[in-house]
Each structure stands twice: as structure tokens, then as C-alpha cells.
Amino acid sequence: YRQKLVELKALYSSLVNHMPAGVFRKTKDGRYEYVNQLFCELKGLTADEILGKNPEELAEYEAFKEQSGGYEKPPVQRTLVKQGSDHHEWIMRHGMPIVVEEAYPHRDGHVNYFQVVKTPILDPAGKVIGSQGMQFDITQHKRTEEALLAEQYLLNAFMINTPDVIYFKDIESRIIRFNKAYARLHGVTDDHDILGKTDFDFFTNEHAKKAFDDEQTIMRTGHSLINIEEKETWNDGHITWSLTSKFPLRNKDGVIAGTFGVSRDITAQ
């Protein structure tokens, strides 16, 4: 039996130490009783420096080690220490798991982000006797997310403020996105009055058919049309002119999935 227990512990340690996550386990009173290798690496400490301490004591120990460098733990990190203690107490009281995202600032200014899954530890009778957690590094995901948000902000700022008309169409030349200037041109305030429609809904065949044929050619050849003069004959009878450039719209795989265009009103000219 003892040999079997030793084998199970060795198997558990081998499994946990090779997981792509920091793993920790706490006793009933909130002290670390087990940490895996990655958790130690994330903390920059050895297991011996961590085990037996609660989060507050561990934070004090880390601060003591870094005093020589004049580094003081930022407020957000002190907040995480209290949050960790609160989570442990909540799990002990309710026996329910918690999933959170946590940001860990470092001395050199960079930040690591983790998704942390915290769960109760139960004895054979089902009583909560501690808590455990796994930290999954999602830093690269967060960086990508932040970069995407920055790109969206720049695109939206351009789409909102440019006086030029901008529109995106699917493979059947139906409108899938447009900017404020496009909405003003059509005199609408509700996006649903435009989305899914084509030029045939706003213009006579004289203009709509020519625009449709141009877009089909772009999608077939992959070639853009630059600075073409378009005579726009509206359904209500009035006529405008625009200087238009149209381009193939490609999806993430590089396949043409529609067109997009930029038009400037040159009726006065």
C-alpha cells in the first residue's frame, strides 16, 4: 500500500509539473502546501521559499528580497494578494469554484496576464479542507486582444470622421458595413435601412448595373479600380457625381469575399 501511495504521488507530481500552468494548493488556513515548478518560475522563488506561507507572508517575503533594488510592489499587486485571500475564504465557505483574470506587473514594467481557476479541495466525506488553483498564461492572447482593439479604434476614428463615403459589400454586392458619410449621403439614421441592400435599392439601373458589373469584375480578377468617375442616378430623379476607388475584400484566408470602396462627391466640380 505504501509503495502504491509513493507511485501515485510520483505520478501526480510528474503530471502537474509538466502542465502548461502554474499549480498551487492551500491548506484550510490558506497556507501554500504544494506548488508546481511553473508556479515557482512565475513567482521567481523556490518551493521552499513559498511552502508554509500564506499570501500576505509570501508578499512580505518577496518585498524583502527586492528591497535591495528599491522596488516596491505596485498597488495592483497588493490588491491581488488580498483578492487571493478573499477567494480562498469564499471557496472554504461556499465550496464553489472561481474563475478570474489576473494581471501581474513586473519590476521592469511589463505585465503578465493569467486566467486563474480556483477550486475547493474535498476530503473523502466531501468536506472542504483547502483550495487549489491553476494559472494559465494568457499574456499573448491579451496582447493580441489589445492590438486588435487599437486597430478597431483607429479604423472607427477614420470611418467616423472622414468626409469621404466608405462602404463594404459582400460577394453579392450587398452592403455589410458603411461609415457615417455613407449614411448621411442616403439620408438615413438606422443602419437597418442600409445593411443587406444593394445599389439597386437606391439608384436607377443606369448607375446600379454599372456599379454591380464593376464589382463583379473586381472579384473575378482581383484588380482594383482607382479614381473612376461615376454618374449616380438616384431613384428620386436627382443626379450626383463621385470619384470612386474600389478594391477586392479578402477574408482571413486571402480569398476574395466581396469589395470595398471609397467615394468622394465631385458634383460641384
Side-chain angles (χ1 to χ4, degrees):
Y1 175 79
R2 182 173 296 179
Q3 179 62 30
K4 186 66 174 178
L5 182 60
V6 170
E7 290 175 358
L8 286 174
K9 285 185 176 180
L11 180 62
Y12 174 81
S13 295
S14 176
L15 172 65
V16 172
N17 275 320
H18 286 87
M19 289 183 64
V23 178
F24 62 88
R25 193 168 65 234
K26 294 179 182 178
T27 60
K28 184 177 181 178
D29 59 355
R31 297 183 180 277
Y32 290 99
E33 65 172 354
Y34 176 83
V35 289
N36 74 341
Q37 184 176 332
L38 184 54
F39 185 87
C40 293
E41 292 173 3
L42 295 173
K43 284 288 186 181
L45 301 171
T46 66
D48 288 339
E49 290 176 303
I50 298 172
L51 297 178
K53 296 182 177 68
N54 62 32
E56 291 81 5
E57 293 168 345
L58 185 59
E60 290 176 6
Y61 178 77
E62 290 180 274
F64 174 76
K65 284 194 67 174
E66 293 167 337
Q67 274 180 356
S68 59
Y71 177 68
E72 181 182 353
K73 288 207 173 291
V76 64
Q77 201 147 331
R78 293 194 293 270
T79 299
L80 286 173
V81 171
K82 184 178 186 309
Q83 178 178 283
S85 296
D86 291 344
H87 288 169
H88 175 77
E89 292 176 7
W90 192 91
I91 290 172
M92 292 300 301
R93 188 163 57 249
H94 299 285
M96 299 290 290
I98 295 175
V99 180
V100 294
E101 285 189 9
E102 296 178 348
Y104 288 83
H106 293 270
R107 187 173 193 166
D108 61 4
H110 83 277
V111 180
N112 282 103
Y113 297 90
F114 296 91
Q115 183 180 59
V116 187
V117 181
K118 303 177 181 182
T119 58
I121 300 173
L122 307 177
D123 67 10
K127 182 180 179 181
V128 180
I129 59 173
S131 70
Q132 58 191 349
M134 291 188 293
Q135 296 177 314
F136 297 93
D137 192 339
I138 57 171
T139 303
Q140 187 56 50
H141 171 76
K142 295 293 286 187
R143 297 275 186 272
T144 302
E145 188 178 73
E146 289 170 357
L148 178 60
L149 288 174
E151 289 293 329
Q152 288 178 334
Y153 171 78
L154 294 174
L155 175 61
N156 288 336
F158 174 70
M159 293 277 282
I160 290 171
N161 292 288
T162 181
D164 292 337
V165 169
I166 301 174
Y167 47 88
F168 297 80
K169 298 181 179 181
D170 65 15
I171 203 164
E172 295 180 10
S173 290
R174 295 175 298 198
I175 297 293
I176 57 176
R177 187 173 179 183
F178 54 91
N179 70 339
K180 293 285 187 182
Y182 188 94
R184 287 195 298 270
L185 177 69
H186 288 79
V188 300
T189 56
D190 189 339
D191 290 357
H192 295 290
D193 291 335
I194 296 178
L195 290 175
K197 293 187 177 181
T198 71
D199 286 338
F200 290 96
D201 293 300
F202 306 107
F203 303 99
T204 67
N205 277 0
E206 179 183 351
H207 170 61
K209 181 68 166 58
K210 176 67 167 59
F212 178 83
D213 290 343
D214 285 345
E215 289 156 7
Q216 292 301 308
T217 298
I218 290 171
M219 287 185 284
R220 186 177 65 255
T221 65
H223 297 151
S224 303
L225 295 177
I226 306 297
N227 290 337
I228 58 173
E229 288 189 0
E230 291 187 316
K231 179 184 179 182
E232 300 165 329
T233 53
W234 296 75
N235 283 332
D236 65 3
H238 81 283
I239 296 173
T240 55
W241 291 81
S242 67
L243 188 64
T244 301
S245 294
K246 297 182 179 182
F247 312 89
L249 177 63
R250 300 179 184 273
N251 63 20
K252 61 182 179 62
D253 298 317
V255 177
I256 295 177
T259 60
F260 66 99
V262 181
S263 298
R264 175 167 294 181
D265 184 13
I266 59 169
T267 304
Q269 290 94 308

